[in-house]
Amino acid sequence: MAEIERARDLTRLVLAESIPRRWAHSQGVGRKAESVAHLVGDDASALVCAAWLHDVGYAPDLVVTGMHQLDGARYLRDVAGMDDLICRLVAHHSCAFIEGRNRGLSDELASEFPPVEGLASHAITYADMTTTPDGEPVEVERRLAEILSRYGDGHLVAESIREASPLIINSVRVIDAALAER
């Protein structure tokens, strides 16, 4: 529990004043991860921490590459001293490998933070992609449409999300199915 409080406090520290809407989103993603954490067994705490921390790389003082997943994971590893699994979940949330490839950062991303497989990976994507920018629950298709609209055609993030959409939708369906079985 102390680790989750630390993650929440760190996210508040780096986002609440500088990017309040991103802080609102992170709160919703953290709550959503808490609601599905039981699905991932021993990785539950790491999942919830990563969900709270997943967007810290947007904080203006942390931007280095412009890829928030990588910048956030590096900060969490190098400055905050977070657990390896938390950093890897942050680095790869919501199919970040596609954006990494499109930015020419895939080798750095994969070598520094090996991808996480299984339900924990699906669960962080689920939490992120079923939460609005204001922290409210939303259907994945509406969330994807909102991201595409916000960034606009031709933007690297929009193109990456467009390409990742089938994988993101699959992650949401995997978690929905796991929840239905419980």
Side-chain angles (χ1 to χ4, degrees):
M1 198 58 146
E3 187 176 42
I4 294 170
E5 288 178 25
R6 179 175 175 236
R8 186 180 314 126
D9 291 346
L10 180 57
T11 304
R12 181 184 306 112
L13 178 70
V14 300
L15 294 180
E17 287 187 32
S18 64
I19 316 173
R21 194 170 191 211
R22 193 65 64 182
W23 166 236
H25 170 71
S26 296
Q27 291 175 77
V29 174
R31 286 190 301 269
K32 184 70 68 97
E34 289 167 359
S35 76
V36 300
H38 63 281
L39 298 174
V40 301
D42 292 343
D43 295 335
S45 180
L47 167 66
V48 174
C49 288
W52 276 98
L53 294 161
H54 80 287
D55 276 353
V56 297
Y58 280 114
D61 292 344
L62 305 185
V63 175
V64 176
T65 67
M67 182 177 171
H68 78 279
Q69 304 95 324
L70 181 58
D71 292 341
R74 284 176 170 169
Y75 168 78
L76 294 171
R77 177 192 64 201
D78 299 341
V79 178
M82 287 290 176
D83 176 78
D84 180 64
L85 179 56
I86 294 169
C87 296
R88 290 170 53 215
L89 285 166
V90 168
H92 289 281
H93 76 272
S94 302
C95 303
F97 72 94
I98 293 172
E99 183 176 334
R101 186 194 65 229
N102 292 345
R103 288 185 182 274
L105 295 169
S106 19
D107 290 342
E108 291 174 62
L109 181 65
S111 66
E112 291 183 46
F113 303 100
V116 177
E117 303 294 330
L119 279 181
S121 176
H122 291 299
I124 193 163
T125 296
Y126 169 89
D128 184 27
M129 290 297 167
T130 60
T131 304
T132 69
D134 297 310
E136 299 301 320
V138 68
E139 293 296 318
V140 64
E141 293 82 4
R142 289 189 63 203
R143 172 81 164 120
L144 292 166
E146 179 276 321
I147 294 169
L148 294 173
S149 172
R150 181 166 22 111
Y151 283 95
D153 285 341
H155 192 282
L156 184 138
V157 171
E159 297 310 312
S160 298
I161 286 293
R162 183 173 280 111
E163 184 180 342
S165 287
L167 298 172
I168 291 168
I169 291 168
N170 180 65
S171 286
V172 171
R173 301 296 175 245
V174 165
I175 297 302
D176 282 341
L179 288 168
E181 289 177 9
R182 299 251 168 164

